[in-house]
Amino acid sequence: MRIATGWPYGGAFWWPGPGPGLAGVRGRPPGRMKTSEGWGMGLWGTALDAAGISDPRLREDYTHQRKLVAAYRRSSYLAARLLLPPPLLPHLIAATAFMHRTDTLLDSGPVEERAGAFTEWAKGVRDGLAGGESEHAAVRPLLHTVSAHPGLRERVEGFLDAAPLELEFTGFATEADYQRYVDTYALPAFMLIAGLIAGEDTPVGYREACRVYIDGSQRLDFVNDLSEDLADGRLNLVRETLDAHGVTRVDLENARDTTGTRNLLAHVLGQARQSLSTSRSLVGLVPPEGRPLFRAMIQIEQLTATAAADKGPGVLRAPARPPLPATARVMLRERRHARHRR
């Protein structure tokens, strides 16, 4: 199942050309550096320097992870690059790449093969955590990030413990099943990222606020991804909710525009919007440097939810996207806040 990362929805934000970078942050002008992408402005190099990542092989490992994350969700990467302090960016990339790789292994291919691939991957990560080093290029950045942010270790191990439940997923029969999924899988995945932003001293109520946010974000993803998920044979909406609105899987697969379908989508999106609205308290619980990204995350998810509601049964044919002008205004406003903090 495609898990909600909590980052702004893929495709929601687009910046023409290379876009604003991290030039001039804390008086550090961008230089030029040789990377796997060739000679170019060293915006990423500046972030690696700021994070204290100097070993050439490790820099290359982080750079490869950056490419994977950017390819998977370009808008999310751009949001993080624009709104996060440079020292935190490589570590967020490492945590996101680990989460995405784990989720992909659990969700690709026959169940028997998925189980074996995950077991091998989890063993490699755990061996690396135990010994402090790894020959696996995808594990080394995670280990270095854990050494820089020790609190991440427990969250990595907790996510690996919860991940096998995804292999057994066959859908949500009841709302309680969905809530268990949020508690056991979606929230631990989001905390890999949210924990880094909060720092080592997690404030009281932070995890609870994160849960409210990821509940809304995950519900939104499940509605907005319906066309893709149904094409892949998955239905991630709660079956008892479908029954309550008189909607069948066949109705959704055939994108039927009925009163029941409209009411179902409006109901689930209403739940998502309520959770996202409530989760605004999350912004005040993170350090000031993390607030621009969290505000942008919540606002863009709300814009996406509104766009999905306006599209109605059209989301059964293709995902909704928030209006580009409104999304750009959010990002520009939060970019100014981020630059002001620095």
Side-chain angles (χ1 to χ4, degrees):
M1 175 191 316
R2 182 167 38 252
I3 191 171
T5 65
W7 292 28
Y9 189 83
F13 176 64
W14 171 79
W15 198 281
L22 303 175
V25 174
R26 298 188 182 276
R28 299 176 64 94
R32 291 183 175 271
M33 62 171 287
K34 182 74 171 180
T35 70
S36 59
E37 297 176 342
W39 289 102
M41 296 303 292
L43 303 176
W44 174 242
T46 298
L48 291 172
D49 291 342
I53 302 167
S54 57
D55 178 77
R57 185 175 75 160
L58 193 56
R59 288 172 75 95
E60 193 69 19
D61 292 339
Y62 272 95
T63 299
H64 182 65
Q65 299 294 77
R66 171 207 178 203
K67 289 181 180 179
L68 294 177
V69 170
Y72 164 60
R73 188 162 277 194
R74 180 69 176 173
S75 59
S76 301
Y77 168 71
L78 287 173
R81 193 186 80 172
L82 289 168
L83 302 180
L84 281 181
L88 188 56
L89 180 59
H91 299 305
L92 192 77
I93 292 295
T96 303
F98 160 70
M99 178 185 68
H100 177 53
R101 183 184 181 95
T102 304
D103 193 57
T104 299
L105 289 172
L106 293 167
D107 200 33
S108 303
V111 174
E112 299 78 12
E113 294 179 11
R114 283 186 272 155
F118 169 74
T119 298
E120 182 179 354
W121 165 246
K123 182 179 185 304
V125 172
R126 286 193 166 106
D127 288 349
L129 289 171
E133 58 185 25
S134 175
E135 289 304 309
H136 200 309
V139 176
R140 287 193 296 265
L142 180 67
L143 299 183
H144 183 78
T145 289
V146 167
S147 71
H149 297 269
L152 181 61
R153 175 187 292 268
E154 182 179 353
R155 294 189 290 273
V156 167
E157 292 175 342
F159 181 58
L160 289 175
D161 288 342
L165 297 174
E166 180 72 357
L167 294 171
E168 304 169 6
F169 179 77
T170 58
F172 305 117
T174 67
E175 175 66 16
D177 293 334
Y178 166 74
Q179 293 297 333
R180 279 192 293 271
Y181 167 83
V182 172
D183 285 326
T184 59
Y185 190 60
L187 180 59
F190 181 57
M191 291 306 299
L192 294 169
I193 297 168
L196 283 174
I197 295 175
E200 296 304 309
D201 297 323
T202 304
V204 175
Y206 184 65
R207 186 179 178 87
E208 291 75 12
C210 286
R211 191 199 187 283
V212 174
Y213 171 77
I214 203 62
D215 180 10
S217 182
Q218 190 69 75
R219 285 191 198 272
L220 172 59
D221 270 15
F222 283 164
V223 171
N224 215 21
D225 292 337
L226 270 170
S227 60
E228 299 172 11
D229 289 340
L230 288 168
D232 291 337
R234 297 190 300 269
L235 175 58
N236 296 325
L237 299 187
V238 176
R239 289 194 291 274
E240 71 175 6
T241 306
L242 267 69
D243 293 342
H245 289 85
V247 176
T248 67
R249 181 176 184 139
V250 173
D251 292 332
L252 300 178
E253 290 173 337
N254 289 281
R256 291 174 180 162
D257 185 350
T258 67
T259 300
T261 300
R262 286 182 172 274
N263 290 340
L264 167 70
L265 297 176
H267 172 75
V268 180
L269 287 170
Q271 290 177 303
R273 294 165 81 174
Q274 178 61 47
S275 293
L276 290 169
S277 179
T278 304
S279 73
R280 285 179 293 188
S281 64
L282 181 60
V283 175
L285 295 175
V286 295
E289 59 268 23
R291 291 172 188 170
L293 180 61
F294 270 22
R295 274 195 301 264
M297 285 165 50
I298 294 169
Q299 291 172 40
I300 293 175
E301 291 285 69
Q302 289 175 319
L303 288 171
T304 305
T306 298
D310 290 343
K311 193 168 186 177
V315 298
L316 299 175
R317 295 186 176 88
R321 295 288 185 265
L324 178 58
T327 305
R329 284 194 294 271
V330 169
M331 294 301 298
L332 288 169
R333 181 172 60 250
E334 295 307 328
R335 172 62 174 165
R336 286 194 294 270
H337 289 158
R339 291 178 70 115
H340 177 73
R341 292 298 316 173
R342 298 169 193 168

